[in-house]
Amino acid sequence: MTTHDTTVAVVGGGPVGACLAIALARGGVAVTTVDASSPAAASRDRERPIALSHGSCVILNALGLWSALASHAAPIRTIHVAEQGRLGTTVLRAADHDIDAFGHVVDASRLERSLGEALAATAGVRVLRPATVVDLESGEGDVRLALSGAGVAADDAIRARLVVAADGTRSTVRGLAGIAVREHDYGQVALTAAVVPCEPAPGSAFERFTADGPLALLPLTGGRHGLVWTLPPQRAQALVAAPESAFLAALGAAFGGRLGGFRAVQWRALHPLAMVSATADVRGRVVLAGNAARTLHPVAGQGLNLGLRDCAWVAESVLDAHRRGIDPGAPARLTALAAARRPDRAEIVGGTDALVRLFTARLPGLGIARGLGLALLDLAPPLKRLLGRHAMGYGHPSPRMLRGLAP
């Protein structure tokens, strides 16, 4: 067996894993990335709009990665929130926070391709792809990962001082580390699509709470909007297979007439929805990041943004240890890291789940109360400012990259 030594092993080459590996390598840390996907792999799961908060854009810019994405991203300057069939509504405006945009929206495929190219071009990162972790053995001062796949030789292994599991909702590393999860199946799926409205509204995002579930329209480039529509599985299956005219009519009926209806849909895809939450963020020398730690309902678009803040915090902890010449995977450091992340994660997870339950509950009179609440929120500037800060990805003590500083 050939064992390769590294300081940090990042398992997962998606946006969170790629950003973390780039940040650590640029700070002089020896990093090995293990990614199960092939560089040329294509997946319908990548067909979805991604809303990057202002804070996430700041993190990407601190890593020098934003310039390659900026021309493919559409700004969110206003957010319209309403409930189908109710008068109450609230509008959040970026200008009220003295910024140009709450964030930007980009196609998932474009984001993954751009970050993947940046990862491949970063000196100091050893990328093993396609490769999977098949065993994990914890020692007193390191962790050994046994690997398998076309991107590695037979019986290859990695020995690392710290392992970061950024390998998604069904994380292999999380399971091998013995970390359990709590799951809540919402009994819904997300139908994603790129649609062309008859009256485009550049810079405007819309959140509609419908009888079936939340419906979000996010601005994309080229006069398009990205759709994330939460639906019962059978209705979603029927809509994804429906003729274009029938699909657009159903969307128009659910969304309302603000954009003058819709004249085209470019693609459609389905994604099952569940909340998956790890019972621990750290076990031994393994720390969880991104969807491996928390997978959220897309109602507030916070999943990837939470993961990029995980990246920023882990990078700060590891780079601080590297500069001081101490062990980045020491239990005390990882315990402190988990404690630093806990308030942000708890607030976003709890808030997202509560929002879904509030706007899907069918108790008598609750719809009127929700509409009144949205109307009152629009008249309460302090509450709107607080909600706006969370939409931007702020609200807690910030690591260097979230403050726009190089890692």
Side-chain angles (χ1 to χ4, degrees):
M1 177 177 291
T2 302
T3 300
H4 306 277
D5 288 328
T6 190
T7 302
V8 179
V10 178
V11 183
V16 173
C19 286
L20 177 58
I22 291 168
L24 296 180
R26 290 182 179 173
V29 176
V31 185
T32 298
T33 295
V34 181
D35 187 20
S37 68
S38 165
S43 169
R44 288 182 65 82
D45 183 56
R46 294 188 173 104
E47 291 184 339
R48 65 189 190 280
I50 295 291
L52 296 168
S53 69
H54 186 275
S56 291
C57 296
V58 168
I59 290 171
L60 292 171
N61 194 55
L63 288 171
L65 303 175
W66 179 243
S67 59
L69 280 168
S71 63
H72 304 285
I76 299 175
R77 296 191 170 96
T78 60
I79 303 173
H80 302 254
V81 184
E83 183 172 9
Q84 184 185 37
R86 306 284 179 186
L87 294 178
T89 186
T90 192
V91 180
L92 306 176
R93 295 177 177 84
D96 293 339
H97 301 267
D98 299 319
I99 57 172
D100 178 64
F102 287 115
H104 288 72
V105 184
V106 63
D107 287 314
S109 57
R110 170 65 66 176
L111 176 66
E112 293 190 10
R113 183 164 63 251
S114 179
L115 297 184
E117 291 170 354
L119 177 64
T122 299
V125 181
R126 183 167 181 254
V127 180
L128 302 178
R129 175 189 288 158
T132 57
V133 176
V134 294
D135 194 24
L136 182 153
E137 181 181 329
S138 294
E140 184 175 338
D142 55 38
V143 180
R144 190 184 68 83
L145 302 177
L147 308 177
S148 177
V152 295
D155 297 326
D156 260 10
I158 296 173
R159 184 165 50 227
R161 305 298 297 276
L162 172 67
V163 174
V164 181
D167 52 342
T169 303
R170 301 302 168 192
S171 170
T172 298
V173 173
R174 183 185 63 209
L176 290 172
I179 300 175
V181 296
R182 292 184 292 267
E183 296 193 42
H184 175 72
D185 187 346
Y186 290 105
Q188 299 172 316
V189 298
L191 190 162
T192 61
V195 297
V196 182
C198 296
E199 300 171 6
S204 293
F206 301 88
E207 186 85 46
R208 292 284 185 270
F209 294 95
T210 76
D212 286 326
L215 184 162
L217 279 173
L218 306 171
L220 291 172
T221 56
R224 303 170 301 150
H225 272 70
L227 170 68
V228 183
W229 192 0
T230 303
L231 294 159
Q234 287 187 326
R235 177 155 166 76
Q237 290 283 356
L239 284 170
V240 83
E244 182 179 46
S245 58
F247 173 81
L248 295 176
L251 174 60
F255 178 72
R258 178 181 284 270
L259 298 177
F262 301 89
R263 59 184 178 84
V265 56
Q266 295 182 336
W267 50 259
R268 286 171 268 180
L270 296 179
H271 315 275
L273 295 179
M275 182 175 69
V276 179
S277 181
T279 57
D281 297 327
V282 169
R283 180 66 53 82
R285 289 177 172 267
V286 175
V287 60
L288 308 184
N291 283 347
R294 306 285 184 276
T295 299
L296 307 180
H297 193 290
V299 60
Q302 290 299 312
L304 177 58
N305 297 304
L306 188 65
L308 288 175
R309 295 199 293 278
D310 289 343
C311 159
W313 275 107
V314 173
E316 184 149 306
S317 176
V318 173
L319 290 172
D320 175 68
H322 176 70
R323 290 167 186 139
R324 296 166 57 190
I326 60 179
D327 183 0
R333 290 197 69 81
L334 298 189
T335 298
L337 174 62
R341 291 299 298 125
R342 194 169 295 124
D344 185 20
R345 281 177 169 170
E347 185 173 285
I348 295 300
V349 171
T352 297
D353 186 55
L355 193 62
V356 175
R357 294 175 187 270
L358 173 64
F359 279 95
T360 55
R362 292 291 170 256
L363 298 176
L366 187 58
I368 296 173
R370 288 190 299 249
L372 179 61
L374 287 172
L376 291 174
L377 177 61
D378 203 45
L379 298 174
L383 288 177
K384 287 181 68 176
R385 281 194 294 271
L386 179 62
L387 187 59
R389 281 192 61 77
H390 286 295
M392 292 186 288
Y394 301 108
H396 293 279
S398 301
R400 288 177 56 85
M401 286 195 290
L402 192 54
R403 300 197 305 271
L405 303 175

